[in-house]
């Protein structure tokens, strides 16, 4: 018997292509028989370490213009709503801190999709605690408790350390996928290859349960 | 009756993902019923206009490292040989000047694939006139005549003007595809969408022959 392969899914809430990946990854992973490990993180420090003061899409406007057009097309192709936020990149600090708390209790996937929908489907400001509190309420959670834990030093430190650690594994952008043998795939366009690699690797290694 | 839709294929000889696109685009276009317009160009001036002194893969080493690994995987997936050139980016000036001459007589596709194979399949130096002359000879052409026309002022000016013109249409990287209604698609990963758009656009406009 072979246990199910796993795939780490690293995403940043400000990232447009992370939105596309987040909205379709569960179905794709289920069809491939792959278990997802949701990994919210902050891309800002990763960009800074590369000498980038903000998103390359903001730094290089011709590339940015193309990205918005490509997002319109890709969202339409995937059947997803798409709204271009008034400011880009959005501040995803608080959303990432909250999402990290939900990983173990298991509400991170639902929270993540709701935040992306608010941001890129409805044009709401995801840095606004009221927007995030309303999402938490909809999920049956107690916003004040979650927000207080999210903003605690222990959680902030944990998020920062996870970012440092994944950066040391080669991550430079979002979304990024890692298979269990350390293979890295970057971008929504590589989701299928990442899942395929995860499955092939599990077959090769033939883990005992 | 509907005439066949066309797709412009803009490529730079130093570009790794242009290699992947060039080696598979003819089959994909034929299957879609799309006529290809081959457009060799120089990416250097386009990067400079964005404030980039060289390839982003050279400027951002963590992204560059990933690109080489991704190229290995993608080349394997597409059944193409892959050799990482000793220097990157290679100097593709002469190759682009030659390729431009062959567009009308029709030998540009064969020349382009042979140059990419020498560069990324065999690790040869495509800035070396002897390498390019040998490719021209294999194609039944007279290298001295072609090289002399390629290095003529008229041809150099034409290549430069084509680069300026396409940059004004929004191009910022390679490979890039344009459909006849001006829609732009960037990257080997978008070849299928570009062909699909070209076909859909032709159906919509229902051109008379």
């Amino acid at each position: 018997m072979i246990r199910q392969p796993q795939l780490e899914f690293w995403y940043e809430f400000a990232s447009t292509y992370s939105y596309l990946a987040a909205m379709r990854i569960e179905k794709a992973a289920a069809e491939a028989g792959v278990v997802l490990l949701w990994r919210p993180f902050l891309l800002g420090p990763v960009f800074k370490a590369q000498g980038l003061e903000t998103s390359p899409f903001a730094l290089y406007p011709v590339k940015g213009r193309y990205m918005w057009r490509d997002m319109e097309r890709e969202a339409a192709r995937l059947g997803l709503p798409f709204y271009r936020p008034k400011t880009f990149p959005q501040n995803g600090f608080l959303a990432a801190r909250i999402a990290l708390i939900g990983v173990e209790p298991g509400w991170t996937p639902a929270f993540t999709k709701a935040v992306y929908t608010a941001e890129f489907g409805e044009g709401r400001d995801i840095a606004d605690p009221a927007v995030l509190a309303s999402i938490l309420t909809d999920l049956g959670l107690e916003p004040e408790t979650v927000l207080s834990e999210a903003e605690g030093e222990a959680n902030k430190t944990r998020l920062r350390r996870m970012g440092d650690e994944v950066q040391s594994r080669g991550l430079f952008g979002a979304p990024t996928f890692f298979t269990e043998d350390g293979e890295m795939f970057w971008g929504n366009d590589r989701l299928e290859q990442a899942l395929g690699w995860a499955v092939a690797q599990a077959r090769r290694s033939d883990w005992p349960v």
Side-chain angles (χ1 to χ4, degrees), chain A:
Chain A
M1 192 179 154
I2 293 174
R3 79 168 169 89
Q4 278 196 293
Q6 298 182 343
L7 187 71
E8 291 175 33
F9 168 38
W10 290 82
Y11 58 97
E12 148 73 50
F13 279 105
S15 154
T16 49
Y17 291 102
S18 293
Y19 161 56
L20 299 184
M23 301 309 279
R24 72 192 193 91
I25 196 169
E26 288 174 300
K27 185 164 179 281
E31 283 170 3
V34 170
V35 173
L36 289 174
L37 307 177
W38 292 64
R39 296 288 180 261
F41 79 108
L42 299 174
L43 196 47
V46 177
F47 281 156
K48 282 206 175 61
Q50 296 176 69
L52 296 160
E53 281 309 306
T54 179
S55 161
F57 295 128
L59 284 174
Y60 302 111
V62 289
K63 194 168 183 177
R65 272 194 295 278
Y66 171 76
M67 181 274 285
W68 294 113
R69 179 60 180 150
D70 191 52
M71 276 298 296
E72 283 176 0
R73 291 189 311 232
E74 289 292 291
R77 189 172 67 83
L78 299 167
L80 295 169
F82 182 67
Y83 184 101
R84 178 174 169 175
K86 279 176 200 76
T87 58
F88 177 85
Q90 294 254 308
N91 178 341
F93 271 55
L94 184 53
R97 287 170 186 159
I98 295 172
L100 187 56
I101 294 175
V103 170
E104 259 197 66
W107 48 262
T108 292
F111 174 77
T112 298
K113 289 183 288 178
V115 172
Y116 278 128
T117 298
E119 181 182 19
F120 294 117
E122 298 158 4
R124 290 161 80 195
D125 177 6
I126 63 160
D128 181 355
V131 169
L132 301 175
S134 147
I135 289 171
L136 291 169
T137 303
D138 288 349
L139 295 174
L141 296 160
E142 215 300 302
E144 274 180 43
T145 317
V146 175
L147 282 164
S148 145
E149 189 183 342
E151 292 292 49
E153 278 312 313
N155 191 55
K156 287 187 192 173
T157 302
R158 192 173 152 224
L159 187 65
R160 207 160 40 235
R161 285 196 182 144
M162 283 175 62
D164 291 346
E165 185 269 334
V166 77
Q167 199 178 319
S168 76
R169 289 156 67 192
L171 176 145
F172 59 91
T176 293
F177 313 99
F178 285 95
T179 56
E180 287 168 276
D181 58 352
E183 194 72 21
M184 182 173 84
F185 296 84
W186 171 58
N188 177 52
D189 292 330
R190 287 289 176 278
L191 173 57
E192 281 69 24
Q193 281 96 320
L195 289 168
W197 192 283
V199 169
Q201 177 229 315
R203 285 198 186 122
R204 272 196 308 275
S205 55
D206 201 19
W207 294 303
V209 177

